[in-house]
Amino acid sequence: MTQKRFEDISIVSCGTLSLELNHLKKEGFLDTPQILYTTPGLHQDIPELERQLVRQIERARQKTPYVIVVYGGKFCYVNVDQPTRLMQTIIAEQGPSVARIEATHCMDMIASEAERERIAAEAAGGEPVWWMTPGWIKFRKEVFKGWDKGLANENFPKHTGGAIILDGVGYMDTYMAEKPEDFLEYADWMGIPIIPWPVSLDRFKKLLLDQADKLHAAA
């Protein structure tokens, strides 16, 4: 990509998406000076999520005038103590030089709802699916921190279509080849099949570009 679109923009993201973002930076699409991550799985610790997110945005601003936050708007930040305080509230408080990718959660960044419905129909016969990205595999201990087998049994088996991994970086091929026992143990713990599903990162790229264009247009 010849045109510089992110050279004055830092990325602040949930660490769960580090595989995809590092891939885009390595291939040259994401020409950002820096990507800063928060700890994966902080959707289970809202106060810590907010602390880390604001801190990383402040760090990012020391290097670039603009920041794109890669966090979902609906499911990643659910504040039960302050229900009216949303992810978008936090972003708005940072001022006009900070924008957030327009998606509800990390799976929505990789595949739209319509695309997920199509994949579910093809891979799971339209049965309920538990969606994940490769980061949910790599950072299992963080994403499912505090979960035991009992909690897993309460949540996963009702997804009779299994768990589908939206893999845009080829992570699952390597993981299953190098750690087949871990893969089987993970599926056994969930109590449902884990189905890797190759996808492109085209939607993710577009969502990032949309925010870069908005930031530059408002400058």
Side-chain angles (χ1 to χ4, degrees), residues 1-216:
M1 190 173 182
T2 56
Q3 187 176 5
K4 299 292 186 181
R5 303 295 285 275
F6 301 94
E7 62 178 356
D8 56 354
I9 300 174
S10 293
I11 306 294
V12 172
S13 172
C14 173
T16 308
L17 278 160
S18 59
L19 291 162
E20 289 82 1
L21 288 166
N22 290 342
H23 176 83
L24 292 181
K25 186 168 177 60
K26 185 177 180 180
E27 76 172 17
F29 168 81
L30 205 53
D31 55 332
T32 175
Q34 65 178 350
I35 305 175
L36 302 176
Y37 294 108
T38 58
T39 303
L42 290 181
H43 59 277
Q44 301 188 100
D45 187 347
I46 292 304
E48 181 62 18
L49 188 162
E50 186 165 343
R51 279 193 293 270
Q52 288 195 26
L53 180 58
V54 172
R55 184 170 70 241
Q56 294 293 53
I57 291 172
E58 291 173 351
R59 281 186 60 199
R61 281 172 150 162
Q62 296 174 14
K63 194 162 190 174
T64 61
Y66 304 110
V67 180
I68 293 176
V69 172
V70 181
Y71 254 100
K74 187 175 181 181
F75 298 108
C76 299
Y77 180 91
V78 180
N79 193 329
V80 294
D81 295 323
Q82 301 180 64
T84 60
R85 185 166 180 75
L86 310 173
M87 174 61 71
Q88 196 54 39
T89 311
I90 301 172
I91 302 304
E93 290 172 354
Q94 310 310 308
S97 63
V98 178
R100 182 187 62 81
I101 194 169
E102 288 295 330
T104 55
H105 45 52
C106 57
M107 286 70 70
D108 191 47
M109 297 176 198
I110 306 303
S112 67
E113 184 175 2
E115 187 175 0
R116 297 197 305 275
E117 288 178 358
R118 179 187 62 78
I119 294 170
E122 184 175 344
E127 293 289 320
V129 167
W130 180 280
W131 297 99
M132 296 196 287
T133 61
W136 289 58
I137 300 294
K138 181 174 183 179
F139 303 111
R140 171 185 173 181
K141 290 181 180 179
E142 291 84 3
V143 173
F144 293 114
K145 185 178 180 180
W147 284 51
D148 58 14
K149 181 63 174 175
L151 192 54
N153 286 339
E154 289 179 22
N155 285 273
F156 301 130
K158 59 188 174 184
H159 297 86
T160 50
I164 296 181
I165 315 296
L166 298 169
D167 189 357
V169 296
Y171 176 82
M172 292 304 297
D173 289 341
T174 302
Y175 176 78
M176 290 188 295
E178 295 181 353
K179 300 180 178 180
E181 296 87 358
D182 288 359
F183 177 75
L184 293 172
E185 188 275 328
Y186 203 150
D188 181 66
W189 177 74
M190 294 186 78
I192 53 177
I194 296 178
I195 307 165
W197 197 267
V199 294
S200 78
L201 293 180
D202 290 348
R203 172 174 168 81
F204 196 31
K205 290 179 179 180
K206 183 181 185 303
L207 291 174
L208 289 164
L209 284 172
D210 285 347
Q211 296 311 311
D213 289 344
K214 285 181 182 179
L215 286 170
H216 290 143

